[in-house]
Amino acid sequence: QVQLVESGGGVVQPGRSLRLSCAASGFSFSSYGMHWVRQAPGKGLEWVAVISFDGINKYYADSVKGRFTISRDNSKDTLFLQMNSLRAGDTALYYCAKARDLFGGFDYWGQGTLVTVSS
Amino acid sequence: QSALTQPASVSGSPGQSITFSCTGTGSDVGGYNYVSWYQQHPGKAPKLMIYDVSHRPSGVSNRFSGSKSGNTASLTISGLQAEDEAYYYCNSYTSSSTHVIFGGGTKLTVL
């Protein structure tokens, strides 16, 4: 069955960096676009970034553009999110999600990894 | 880009039908058939309930249905059950630089 397992979260000071990973299994990872979606404590869902199946096309939310970089390693079935210049407002549970097609619904989600930005 | 507009809360009794709304603009909900709906129980990851406005993934109960009229998408749950109590989020593709936008979510309470 499809599994998405995020890792790499933790407590980090403002201005520092963190790299999240999402290990995928149970489907042909290299055939699907992948997204990162975050949820601040007690708040709603916020889309963060998407990467196409081949890693060529990448799009970002305005709130993270220029600070976050999405990437993937199809040889290792792994999705990444490099987060730089972190702010308190980036504190959230970060989910990776598989896309049905690039923008047509996220049909599988991981359980999330918590990122806390605090001094 | 503001979030899609969803009511903060709705409630219904078991067996009733209930409809959630998700209002956007012609640049998102009204302009594309890339509207999806997600159910999220507390402490759990979201679950896809409807994609491409009205399509139901395999395994999702046929009590859930989706539609769209103009700039507003809707999710209807028929035969409301206690287990349906959760948050429901809509999302859509948008032609803005953001590309993907979520609604603020609606909390469903089953009375």
Side-chain angles (χ1 to χ4, degrees), chain A residues 35 37 39 43-47 50 59-62 65 95 100-111, chain B residues 1 34 36 38 40 43-48 50-52 57 89 91-93 97-104:
Chain A
H35 293 253
V37 178
Q39 187 168 34
K43 302 297 184 182
L45 301 172
E46 180 188 13
W47 177 76
V50 60
Y59 304 102
Y60 300 90
D62 289 343
K65 203 171 293 183
Y95 293 102
R100 288 196 62 262
D101 53 47
L102 196 57
F103 295 112
F106 312 147
D107 54 358
Y108 292 94
W109 298 64
Q111 286 305 304
Chain B
Q1 176 81 33
Y34 280 134
S36 300
Y38 304 87
Q40 187 179 35
K44 300 293 187 181
K47 176 185 176 183
L48 179 66
I50 295 289
Y51 66 93
D52 295 354
Y89 295 91
N91 88 327
S92 174
Y93 171 78
S97 60
T98 300
H99 290 90
V100 179
I101 190 170
F102 275 95

Side-chain angles (χ1 to χ4, degrees), chain B residues 25-101:
Chain B
T25 69
S27 297
D28 39 68
V29 173
Y32 305 91
N33 287 327
Y34 280 134
V35 177
S36 300
W37 290 90
Y38 304 87
Q39 176 192 65
Q40 187 179 35
H41 288 106
K44 300 293 187 181
K47 176 185 176 183
L48 179 66
M49 306 304 285
I50 295 289
Y51 66 93
D52 295 354
V53 176
S54 59
H55 293 81
R56 212 172 29 249
S58 172
V60 172
S61 170
N62 59 9
R63 297 187 298 108
F64 292 82
S65 62
S67 62
K68 186 180 80 167
S69 178
N71 295 336
T72 297
S74 300
L75 172 72
T76 298
I77 308 176
S78 59
L80 206 57
Q81 299 178 1
E83 69 205 46
D84 298 332
E85 186 165 290
Y87 282 88
Y88 290 84
Y89 295 91
C90 62
N91 88 327
S92 174
Y93 171 78
T94 169
S95 57
S96 78
S97 60
T98 300
H99 290 90
V100 179
I101 190 170

